[in-house]
Amino acid sequence: MAMPRKTVLTLLVATLVAGCGGRDDVTLSRIRHTGNGPDEFSIIPGKPLQTPENLASLPTPNPGGVNLTDQNPLADGVAALGGNPAGGVASNGALVNHANRYGATPAIRQTLAAEDKELRKAHGRVDVLRFLPGDDYVQAYRREWLDAYAEEERLRNRGVLTPASPPPPE
């Protein structure tokens, strides 16, 4: 015995509506390692090895401790910007002042988190059934993308030199 058409449509609509709820934290990017090879996002190259000045005065090994070839992105970034990586923020007042020269919003992280949550609520549920190519991040932030070549052209028209810019794609 076949179900009436009205019952089937009602169940279909109820299923679709139920599928749209309960998704508070929208995953924007789906970067997953599914192959048998290495995960390129988990491989962090070390710094180059160096021969010490005096081989007799090497420190004692400390398993699990810090190694001279380990990456330290925070200290490396501070050093690249001209600060003192060993001193922390307090000893890099000139660097902090230079970074804040155009002003800074004290609660910028909270503000951005709230704005991101609203944007994900508005756009993150577009592709619930995953019919569209890409992921929710692409769908939510496509309007925010910067066209690098248009921006380069705008800067060049204003007389700004862009010597490190790659040639446009063919």
Side-chain angles (χ1 to χ4, degrees):
M1 179 174 168
M3 293 178 74
R5 178 179 275 172
K6 187 175 181 182
T7 305
V8 171
L9 288 176
T10 303
L11 288 173
L12 181 64
V13 169
T15 303
L16 288 174
V17 170
C20 293
R23 197 172 160 202
D24 291 335
D25 186 29
V26 178
T27 303
L28 292 179
S29 293
R30 292 181 199 88
I31 300 174
R32 293 189 184 111
H33 176 63
T34 57
N36 294 331
D39 183 5
E40 59 271 8
F41 293 108
S42 68
I43 299 172
I44 300 174
K47 295 179 182 176
L49 295 175
Q50 299 173 355
T51 304
E53 298 281 333
N54 184 358
L55 295 176
S57 65
L58 291 175
T60 58
N62 62 350
V66 179
N67 189 331
L68 293 176
T69 62
D70 290 344
Q71 295 286 356
N72 187 349
L74 183 60
D76 294 344
V78 170
L81 294 171
N84 179 6
V89 176
S91 68
N92 289 305
L95 178 63
V96 172
N97 289 339
H98 183 72
N100 289 333
R101 68 188 178 277
Y102 299 119
T105 306
I108 190 66
R109 292 177 192 256
Q110 293 82 5
T111 303
L112 289 177
E115 290 173 359
D116 179 60
K117 186 174 183 178
E118 289 301 316
L119 189 68
R120 287 186 290 137
K121 277 185 180 178
H123 292 51
R125 299 174 196 263
V126 172
D127 195 14
V128 172
L129 300 176
R130 309 289 181 241
F131 289 132
L132 301 174
D135 58 14
D136 292 338
Y137 181 86
V138 172
Q139 300 298 323
Y141 286 99
R142 183 178 300 265
R143 292 182 181 160
E144 305 291 328
W145 288 355
L146 176 67
D147 181 359
Y149 297 108
E151 182 66 12
E152 175 190 22
E153 187 66 30
R154 184 186 74 82
L155 290 172
R156 285 186 176 171
N157 289 339
R158 296 182 79 186
V160 177
L161 298 177
T162 58
S165 177
E170 296 180 9

